Amino acid sequence: MPCGCNALFVIEVLEPFVSRWMFLEMQHVSRLVGFENLWITRVRRRCERELLARVASRVYRESVVELEEKLTHEYGRLIVLDPSAEEPLSPGDFPGGRAVVVVGGIMGAHP
């Protein structure tokens, strides 16, 4: 069930490879935000890009940093989620309902 918003969600892969668990997590994100609203970046191996193309509308070898100009041109504001941020995310961060939300490091041992 997609989120119903106009935001684009970008997951930056920070792990050395895409594990089965990571694939399942990204599959779940795709169900939440919608296939068309999900891009995955920094996927090193071609076979992993092909696998992740099942759950995201676009999968790139490049980092979100390398794609920043393309993203902001097409979608507007770029928001990088940070668990240490001093201000919480709010509806005002999405002018006109459009923005790029970058999620990185969702896998691992962070509390």
Side-chain angles (χ1 to χ4, degrees), residues 9 19 27 41 47 51-52 89 91-92 95 97 110:
F9 294 84
S19 67
Q27 187 176 43
T41 59
C47 61
L51 174 69
L52 292 171
L89 195 60
H110 191 279

Side-chain angles (χ1 to χ4, degrees), residues 2-73:
C3 68
C5 63
N6 290 328
L8 174 69
F9 294 84
V10 178
I11 297 175
E12 177 90 355
V13 175
L14 300 176
E15 301 293 324
F17 64 92
V18 176
S19 67
R20 177 181 161 97
W21 178 258
M22 184 185 298
F23 175 77
L24 292 172
E25 287 289 330
M26 291 189 192
Q27 187 176 43
H28 183 70
V29 170
S30 181
R31 287 184 186 139
L32 289 173
V33 304
F35 178 86
E36 291 299 323
N37 298 328
L38 179 61
W39 289 13
I40 302 173
T41 59
R42 203 170 171 256
V43 182
R44 294 170 183 87
R45 294 176 184 84
R46 181 177 173 185
C47 61
E48 292 174 344
R49 289 192 299 275
E50 290 171 359
L51 174 69
L52 292 171
R54 297 180 190 174
V55 299
S57 62
R58 298 193 195 173
V59 181
Y60 292 95
R61 179 173 178 47
E62 297 85 7
S63 168
V64 71
V65 173
E66 297 169 271
L67 298 169
E68 182 179 2
E69 186 175 319
K70 176 184 180 69
L71 287 164
T72 55
H73 176 72

